[in-house]
């Protein structure tokens, strides 16, 4: 099955892969600017947004999904941009199909193992949220507020709400499978050999997702990488510093 995507602009192809619980909407602001010169494909991963649901949620499977989408669309040497989980998917594809891509952009994630206990707890909160009979998002927000006090995180989670055919609020993303798949999503990107194409890592200086010990692994797997640090940005770098992220992406794409 094909992943759901939205297409913007015209020019050389760029695919954007969002993070966990992300969707095609998450990068729309930056994508609209990039679409002045490129064709943007905003992608929903499996078990996310409007893409298909599956009990399998591994980086190998998600990278194969993106590879299939690129092939079906007939895209030649696209650029991949991936944030967080989407960054790992992008790196996995770069490792398994190194000649498939022209450039790689990874937003605030390294190719190593991560401890995702906090995200596992968040997914369990969503899994246990009583939506039956709830008519408004305000009620859901009120329910989540105690366990998810950060309004930005709550908003990110609630973007996964939609209405079914009966008008009932439901999670659009496959929350049970995502929660059960945390042991897979914690894993490192499988090393197949050095990816020789230009690679940009974008790091939020207020985020701890990329640490100094990660640089040696990044160098081994992506020997032609550069690292751009975004001052004042956390893990959601593209929310915190959208214009700075856009500038560094444009500079990287132009060279």
């Amino acid at each position: 099955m094909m992943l759901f995507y939205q297409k913007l602009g015209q020019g050389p192809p760029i695919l954007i892969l969002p993070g966990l619980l992300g969707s095609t909407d998450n990068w729309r602001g930056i994508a609209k600017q990039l679409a002045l010169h490129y064709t943007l494909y905003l992608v929903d991963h499996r078990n996310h947004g409007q893409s298909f649901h599956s009990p399998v949620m591994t980086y190998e499977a998600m990278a194969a999904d993106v590879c299939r989408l690129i092939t079906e669309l007939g895209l030649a040497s696209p650029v991949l941009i991936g944030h967080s989980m989407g960054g790992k998917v992008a790196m996995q594809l770069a490792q398994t199909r190194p000649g498939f891509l022209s450039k790689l952009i990874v937003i605030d994630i390294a190719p190593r193992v991560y401890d995702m206990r906090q995200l596992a707890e968040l997914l369990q909160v969503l899994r246990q949220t009583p939506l039956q009979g709830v008519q408004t998002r305000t009620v859901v927000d009120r329910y989540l507020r105690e366990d998810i006090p950060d309004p930005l995180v709550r908003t990110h989670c609630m973007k996964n709400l939609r209405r079914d055919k009966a008008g009932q609020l439901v999670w659009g993303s496959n929350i049970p499978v995502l929660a059960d798949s945390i042991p897979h999503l914690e894993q490192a990107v499988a090393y197949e050999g050095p990816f020789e194409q230009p690679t940009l890592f974008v790091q939020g200086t207020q985020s701890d997702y990329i640490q100094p010990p990660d640089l040696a692994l990044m160098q081994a797997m992506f020997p032609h990488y550069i690292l751009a640090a975004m001052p004042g940005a956390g893990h959601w770098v593209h929310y915190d510093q959208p214009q700075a992220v856009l500038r560094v992406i444009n500079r990287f794409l132009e060279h």
Side-chain angles (χ1 to χ4, degrees):
M1 286 183 282
M2 282 254 292
L3 297 175
F4 176 82
Y5 67 92
Q6 294 183 9
K7 180 180 176 182
L8 303 173
Q10 191 170 15
I14 299 175
L15 287 84
I16 299 185
L17 311 179
L20 184 67
L21 293 175
S23 69
T24 56
D25 291 337
N26 294 146
W27 280 78
R28 185 165 296 279
I30 289 177
K32 284 182 177 179
Q33 296 299 311
L34 290 173
L36 297 174
H37 304 286
Y38 302 93
T39 302
L40 273 294
Y41 296 87
L42 307 177
V43 179
D44 280 346
H45 296 289
R46 62 170 57 200
N47 293 315
H48 285 75
Q50 298 184 61
S51 282
F52 62 89
H53 287 188
S54 167
V56 179
M57 192 71 186
T58 64
Y59 289 116
E60 291 81 3
M62 287 187 282
D65 291 340
V66 178
C67 183
R68 187 177 304 112
L69 179 64
I70 292 170
T71 301
E72 290 292 328
L73 293 175
L75 306 182
S77 301
V79 174
L80 273 191
I81 301 176
H83 171 242
S84 196
M85 182 190 78
K88 276 194 167 182
V89 175
M91 288 187 280
Q92 186 65 58
L93 179 54
Q95 284 291 310
T96 55
R97 297 292 297 271
F100 220 49
L101 309 175
S102 60
K103 291 184 177 182
L104 176 66
I105 300 174
V106 179
I107 311 294
D108 208 55
I109 196 79
R112 63 171 165 89
V113 172
Y114 281 83
D115 183 339
M116 295 178 65
R117 279 177 289 186
Q118 287 187 331
L119 284 170
E121 292 171 1
L122 183 147
L123 286 166
Q124 290 299 340
V125 170
L126 301 186
R127 191 177 196 171
Q128 295 164 11
T129 301
L131 295 179
Q132 187 64 38
V134 174
Q135 296 300 316
T136 68
R137 293 169 180 264
T138 303
V139 174
V140 179
D141 182 76
R142 191 180 305 130
Y143 179 86
L144 295 176
R145 196 171 299 164
E146 181 177 349
D147 292 305
I148 309 176
D150 187 328
L152 180 60
V153 177
R154 281 202 314 279
T155 298
H156 181 69
C157 293
M158 289 176 58
K159 282 184 176 180
N160 287 270
L161 286 170
R162 63 173 178 81
R163 293 190 185 274
D164 63 15
K165 293 179 179 179
Q168 170 66 47
L169 281 172
V170 295
W171 294 116
S173 295
N174 194 346
I175 301 299
V177 166
L178 297 181
D180 292 341
S181 298
I182 288 295
H184 298 295
L185 300 178
E186 290 179 324
Q187 296 307 305
V189 174
Y191 178 66
E192 301 286 343
F195 176 69
E196 300 290 352
Q197 300 303 319
T199 302
L200 169 67
F201 283 87
V202 180
Q203 173 190 23
T205 60
Q206 303 303 310
S207 169
D208 60 0
Y209 272 68
I210 297 179
Q211 296 287 330
D214 298 329
L215 302 184
L217 178 60
M218 290 156 55
Q219 178 68 43
M221 298 179 72
F222 306 96
H224 304 291
Y225 91 91
I226 57 175
L227 178 64
M230 298 289 107
H235 181 54
W236 287 333
V237 190
H238 51 299
Y239 284 139
D240 295 337
Q241 295 289 349
Q243 291 307 309
V245 169
L246 181 62
R247 282 195 299 271
V248 75
I249 288 175
N250 270 321
R251 284 200 300 268
F252 177 71
L253 293 174
E254 290 165 3
H255 294 89

